[in-house]
Amino acid sequence: MNDATAAPAYTVTARILHWITASLVLLQLPLGLVIANDLGGPLQDQLYNLHRSIGVLIIPIVLARVVYRWTHPPAPLPDDIPAIQQLAAHATHWALYALLIVQPFVGWIGTSAYRAPIVVFGLFELPPIWPEDRAFSDLVLFVHGLIAVAIAILLAAHIGAALHHHFVRRDRILLRMITG
């Protein structure tokens, strides 16, 4: 089978879930920086609500992604990619999945302990999942920030690797997630 007739590395469903997740996370990171540093001005409360709403949306999307990935594994990486790079790619992917599952729940716990409402796109409110404790909230939201930094570092590595494959190695690794 040549490249033109090869089965796609990622299905349309996998690609859609990937790009939705990527878009939401790439929106969340700068939004989180703005609200954490009180840079929202008169929109600060609305930005917090948007950040929380997107965080809630990320939960089912990432869970669906993980289940879909387990049940529909992508084509293996080409044999000419060294084993250590393949290991790094897999470790980065699974670390991102793990952090993207944990992160919204850490935010939910921290927000619950603070007793701020989590109104999801103005449609409904999530219940608190932790007793009120402002000191604990501060600690948990600090950890939430550290997880965000870890996600940003992993994303930079992931994006950098994809660009390296596309522009330096000139292989189909990036195209696998664009065109299959």
Side-chain angles (χ1 to χ4, degrees):
M1 211 183 308
N2 64 31
D3 281 347
T5 60
Y10 291 97
T11 65
V12 171
T13 301
R15 293 191 315 260
I16 288 170
L17 288 169
H18 172 273
W19 291 109
I20 289 171
T21 304
S23 299
L24 293 174
V25 171
L26 290 172
L27 179 61
Q28 281 293 75
L29 289 170
L31 185 55
L33 279 174
V34 167
I35 62 175
N37 292 294
D38 291 323
L39 301 174
L43 299 176
Q44 186 75 2
D45 288 341
Q46 291 90 339
L47 295 176
Y48 264 112
N49 288 336
L50 179 60
H51 184 76
R52 293 177 191 133
S53 294
I54 293 170
V56 170
L57 186 59
I58 286 173
I59 294 169
I61 292 171
V62 172
L63 289 174
R65 259 191 95 182
V66 170
V67 169
Y68 192 83
R69 172 99 183 219
W70 276 332
T71 59
H72 299 81
L77 292 169
D79 291 335
D80 66 332
I81 296 175
I84 190 71
Q85 289 180 12
Q86 291 193 34
L87 176 64
H90 293 302
T92 300
H93 281 110
W94 289 106
L96 277 168
Y97 287 137
L99 292 177
L100 291 175
I101 290 168
V102 168
Q103 181 71 328
F105 288 103
V106 171
W108 189 357
I109 291 167
T111 303
S112 295
Y114 190 83
R115 270 309 176 265
I118 301 177
V119 180
V120 182
F121 297 112
L123 300 173
F124 61 92
E125 186 173 330
L126 288 183
I129 58 172
W130 200 268
E132 185 172 359
D133 182 338
R134 292 280 175 102
F136 181 72
S137 173
D138 290 344
L139 176 62
V140 171
L141 293 176
F142 176 76
V143 170
H144 187 69
L146 293 177
I147 294 170
V149 170
I151 290 170
I153 290 168
L154 289 169
L155 281 179
H158 179 67
I159 293 167
L163 294 174
H164 172 79
H165 278 280
H166 191 71
F167 292 109
V168 176
R169 286 183 53 110
R170 298 183 184 272
D171 57 24
R172 290 199 81 257
I173 296 300
L174 175 60
L175 294 177
R176 289 165 37 122
M177 190 47 79
I178 296 173
T179 63

